[in-house]
Amino acid sequence: MSGTLSTTVATIVITAALYAVGKALTAFIPSPWGIGEFLIGLFIPAFFAVVSDTIPVALGAGLGTFVGDVAFLTPLHETTPILSLVAGVPANFVAFLLFGYFVKKYASWPAFVACTVCFVTLGNLIAAIGVVEFLSLPHGLILGFTVFWNTGAIPAVIIGVPILVRA
């Protein structure tokens, strides 16, 4: 982390708060299996991963998904706080830690697209495995969850982040 303590804390809090709001805006779009949501709001922590320090953004993404899940998805019975801690929090932390690191190391449009596809898929795969294992669901659903979450998240990141960076 290269910033001051106040910058680091602000990055974590802003990333978490805005990601939770992004989750709120899509909470009403459930997955076909009644767990999770259509992940359009994932462009928010992806934007911060491009323009801010990587570790605070990864922490903010993990915290933001937990806050968003508890505040907006739990009342809709799309998740539980424990499931969020088991699946969503580690998935978002790992995905944005790696995404932020690699997108800065290989700063180009092809690298951004490749990082988006690779690390959004990895994060969604980690979350899907966590959901399936925690709830003792059929292992075939891992691919279903991953593909469903990717269909909203990857286009949202590839479209949303460049727009925000330009702004």
Side-chain angles (χ1 to χ4, degrees):
M1 290 185 265
S2 61
T4 64
L5 178 59
S6 60
T7 302
T8 299
V9 171
T11 300
I12 293 168
V13 170
I14 292 168
T15 302
L18 290 177
Y19 188 27
V21 169
K23 289 180 78 60
L25 296 175
T26 59
F28 64 91
I29 309 171
S31 84
W33 304 280
I35 300 165
E37 66 182 305
F38 201 55
L39 291 176
I40 299 169
L42 206 68
F43 75 91
I44 296 166
F47 165 72
F48 284 105
V50 169
V51 300
S52 298
D53 286 342
T54 300
I55 293 173
V57 170
L59 292 169
L63 178 62
T65 200
F66 181 73
V67 170
D69 286 352
V70 170
F72 305 108
L73 290 180
T74 298
L76 296 173
H77 306 291
E78 295 290 326
T79 193
T80 67
I82 301 293
L83 183 56
S84 181
L85 287 172
V86 168
V89 171
N92 277 274
F93 176 79
V94 169
F96 286 106
L97 184 69
L98 294 171
F99 176 82
Y101 173 76
F102 281 99
V103 83
K104 288 178 185 84
K105 182 173 175 143
Y106 304 102
S108 69
W109 175 250
F112 170 75
V113 172
C115 287
T116 299
V117 172
C118 290
F119 299 119
V120 168
T121 300
L122 176 64
N124 287 334
L125 180 62
I126 291 169
I129 290 168
V131 166
V132 165
E133 290 299 321
F134 184 77
L135 296 177
S136 299
L137 298 172
H139 286 123
L141 287 179
I142 292 171
L143 179 61
F145 281 123
T146 304
V147 169
F148 174 74
W149 292 329
N150 277 358
T151 58
I154 291 173
V157 170
I158 290 174
I159 294 167
V161 171
I163 292 169
L164 289 174
V165 168
R166 287 242 183 232

